Amino acid sequence: MTAPRARVGVLASGGGSNLGAMLEYADRLAQARAFDVALVTSDRPNAGAIGRAAARGIPSAVVAPNDDDALLELLSSHAIDLIVLAGYLRLVPPRVTAAWRGRLLNIHPALLPAFGGAGMFGKRVHRAVLESGARVTGATVHFVDEAYDRGAIIAQWPVPVFAQDSAETLAARVLRTEHALLPRVVDAVASGQIRLSASGAVEGHPPGAPPEDAGFVWAQHAEQAGIGLDALQLRVAPRRA
Ligand code: GRF
């Protein structure tokens, strides 16, 4: 008897490529998956994420940013177990962060706590990384609490910054890593392999980085990114799917 799959509610304000990556990963895992996307909501009627949900027959709804009651009603009526913020630009209502403590995830396109917080989203993040001169950026998945980008960090995957990068080229490289990281963390939290303890500590092991999904191989780019090769004692994690 396989454990019932976690019902995931995705909140998204934009194109929804991270939602798409979650759906594709769930398809690839098939019966081995620990979650199903059961609801997609957005604060924007024209969000691509809504279109992606409709194309898959997944229930979706547009919820006005300050209509906390409507959001809570939707999450409850769809029996959502786990909420994933996949490009959601609003602060989650405190009643939701309280009720879904330890079951509310966010993905951020930088290595938090750096380059995060209110107002840090989209190209602004990557412009700030480039202006800082950082040689390494990355993606972060974390549990969500009442403040933007502040909850307990679950997993971070590094991404090299190249000298000729623009905010667009860097965003695209980070987004590709996000697409590999987020679904694996969602599945691990859904299955209970990763959880938030009562004391606020993250328990369990984040998924290993499957290098071929990242779109680059560190050994080929480490020098250009100014990273010492010997620092990269990469352990190739067994790929799950
Ligand atoms: C991603 O870069 C994510 O890290 C950030 O918003 C973006 C959403 O992109 N929170 P998409 O809508 O999933 O394509």
Side-chain angles (χ1 to χ4, degrees), residues 111-128:
L111 296 178
L112 292 175
F115 308 110
M120 287 302 279
F121 58 87
K123 294 285 187 305
R124 294 180 186 182
V125 174
H126 305 295
R127 275 196 288 273

Side-chain angles (χ1 to χ4, degrees), residues 12-19 49 52 85-89 106-110 121-122 126 171 174-175 178-179:
S13 303
S17 71
N18 273 291
L19 166 62
R52 290 176 189 263
L85 309 183
Y88 188 64
L89 299 180
N106 180 48
I107 183 156
H108 184 75
F121 58 87
H126 305 295
V174 173
L175 191 60
E178 294 176 49
H179 291 168

Side-chain angles (χ1 to χ4, degrees), residues 6-12 19 22 35-42 58-59 71 74-75 78-86 88 96 100 103-105 186:
R7 292 171 58 80
V8 170
V10 175
L11 279 57
L19 166 62
M22 288 169 60
F35 72 96
D36 284 310
V37 176
L39 173 67
V40 175
T41 77
S42 180
I58 296 170
L71 181 58
L74 271 168
L75 293 169
H78 286 81
I80 296 304
D81 303 303
L82 177 59
I83 301 172
V84 176
L85 309 183
Y88 188 64
V96 174
W100 274 267
R103 301 184 294 145
L104 179 46
L105 306 178
V186 171

Side-chain angles (χ1 to χ4, degrees), residues 15-187:
S17 71
N18 273 291
L19 166 62
M22 288 169 60
L23 294 171
E24 288 160 20
Y25 187 71
D27 290 346
R28 279 215 309 275
L29 287 186
Q31 294 311 309
R33 70 186 186 279
F35 72 96
D36 284 310
V37 176
L39 173 67
V40 175
T41 77
S42 180
D43 55 313
R44 298 181 178 178
N46 59 348
I50 294 289
R52 290 176 189 263
R56 301 272 298 228
I58 296 170
S60 61
V62 177
V63 179
N66 54 4
D67 192 346
D68 299 357
D69 291 337
L71 181 58
L72 276 160
E73 167 51 34
L74 271 168
L75 293 169
S76 303
S77 62
H78 286 81
I80 296 304
D81 303 303
L82 177 59
I83 301 172
V84 176
L85 309 183
Y88 188 64
L89 299 180
R90 305 287 177 178
L91 200 58
V92 177
R95 283 187 289 164
V96 174
T97 51
W100 274 267
R101 182 187 180 282
R103 301 184 294 145
L104 179 46
L105 306 178
N106 180 48
I107 183 156
H108 184 75
L111 296 178
L112 292 175
F115 308 110
M120 287 302 279
F121 58 87
K123 294 285 187 305
R124 294 180 186 182
V125 174
H126 305 295
R127 275 196 288 273
V129 168
L130 291 173
E131 285 161 14
S132 76
R135 294 302 187 95
V136 178
T137 185
T140 301
V141 180
H142 62 95
F143 285 111
V144 172
D145 63 14
E146 290 67 29
Y148 279 115
D149 300 335
R150 190 190 66 184
I153 291 173
I154 299 170
Q156 296 188 302
W157 281 2
V159 174
V161 180
F162 298 155
Q164 72 279 16
D165 265 329
S166 64
E168 289 71 23
T169 58
L170 186 54
R173 191 174 313 121
V174 173
L175 191 60
R176 184 165 178 166
T177 291
E178 294 176 49
H179 291 168
L181 176 61
L182 179 62
R184 287 168 172 80
V185 173
V186 171
D187 195 64

